[in-house]
Amino acid sequence: MPTMNSKPPEACRRLYRGKTVERQKLGKLRRAILVGVDNGKNGRLDDRPIATS
């Protein structure tokens, strides 16, 4: 039976790590979006078309 001093199971550690990575990715995306919004507000948009292949 687990005690208060025992380590969490591997599955819990992986889940926690996965959530941490997801939060970091969302933080990066949020910052990139804010930069884009700020650029748009200040007229710093690129009007070149996006190249597709």
Side-chain angles (χ1 to χ4, degrees), residues 39-53:
N39 285 343
K41 286 180 180 177
N42 293 309
R44 295 185 304 253
L45 293 179
D46 191 351
D47 59 356
R48 294 178 291 179
I50 297 173
T52 58
S53 55

Side-chain angles (χ1 to χ4, degrees), residues 14-26:
R14 287 179 185 226
L15 179 62
Y16 180 77
R17 176 67 183 146
K19 287 183 178 185
T20 300
V21 169
E22 188 67 23
R23 279 194 304 271
Q24 290 170 346
K25 288 179 182 179
L26 288 173

